[in-house]
Amino acid sequence: MDLITVAQAYHWFDHQAFVAQLQRVATANALLAIWTYTLAQINTELDQVVRDFYAGPIDAYWPAERRLVEEGYSSLKFPWPEVISPEFRLELNWTLPGLLGYLRTWSAVQRYQSVHSIDPVSVWQPELSRAWGDVSTHMVRWPMRVRAFRINPQ
């Protein structure tokens, strides 16, 4: 393989097994690109409400692997030279229902709900709605961290 990519999932992998498989299937000078993104950025008020939700009622339900995402995979070590990547970000013009649906995909939200039989997003929704305001959409941005490596360079 000449290009191997992992999008927002490397923290779930068995890293040692993955690297071993890359050594097996990658061609000389193949590129590995793994990326992750941080919390959405909308505006000062909404960002604070989302951060309060993230670090508040659902904080204890984040798996330990989430720390790798929060640090942008920066502590991960690979046996190959790193390739400097430009900065990227995801951008969407989103509605409040879109944001609420996205928050419900978070693993901590799903774990919280399975333990308490309560959707924590619904509990937090009045605060999110207040911060959203009376506009139909907001531009939502996720800063991305991309780490890329040349596998088996010649």
Side-chain angles (χ1 to χ4, degrees):
M1 301 183 90
D2 294 323
L3 173 65
I4 298 97
T5 64
V6 180
Q8 192 70 6
Y10 192 77
H11 51 289
W12 300 120
F13 288 12
D14 175 331
H15 300 158
Q16 194 171 21
F18 182 72
V19 167
Q21 285 300 313
L22 287 178
Q23 294 283 32
R24 187 180 68 78
V25 302
T27 62
N29 284 323
L31 183 69
L32 167 64
I34 62 172
W35 62 87
T36 189
Y37 52 85
T38 60
L39 287 176
Q41 297 175 347
I42 306 167
N43 62 42
T44 303
E45 186 175 8
L46 268 166
D47 294 353
Q48 187 61 54
V49 172
V50 170
R51 278 193 304 272
D52 290 347
F53 177 67
Y54 179 89
I58 63 169
D59 185 56
Y61 299 88
W62 286 112
E65 294 87 356
R66 182 66 187 172
R67 299 300 170 234
L68 292 172
V69 171
E70 291 170 349
E71 68 179 27
Y73 294 152
S74 63
S75 68
L76 296 174
K77 305 294 184 222
F78 291 89
W80 312 293
E82 189 158 2
V83 176
I84 302 302
S85 172
E87 290 186 19
F88 295 98
R89 69 175 179 243
L90 300 170
E91 294 184 339
L92 288 172
N93 200 20
W94 240 0
T95 63
L96 178 58
L99 176 63
L100 298 174
Y102 166 68
L103 296 177
R104 287 184 175 102
T105 69
W106 288 0
S107 59
V109 168
Q110 294 172 18
R111 286 184 175 156
Y112 182 101
Q113 189 164 353
S114 70
V115 169
H116 299 285
S117 300
I118 298 168
D119 173 13
V121 175
S122 293
V123 172
W124 210 255
Q125 186 170 344
E127 185 66 17
L128 288 161
S129 296
R130 183 198 57 72
W132 189 271
D134 59 1
V135 298
S136 60
T137 64
H138 280 287
M139 179 59 67
V140 181
R141 295 173 179 87
W142 291 267
M144 295 177 62
R145 164 72 178 184
V146 178
R147 297 201 59 207
F149 302 87
R150 279 285 167 210
I151 303 171
N152 305 323
Q154 293 183 341

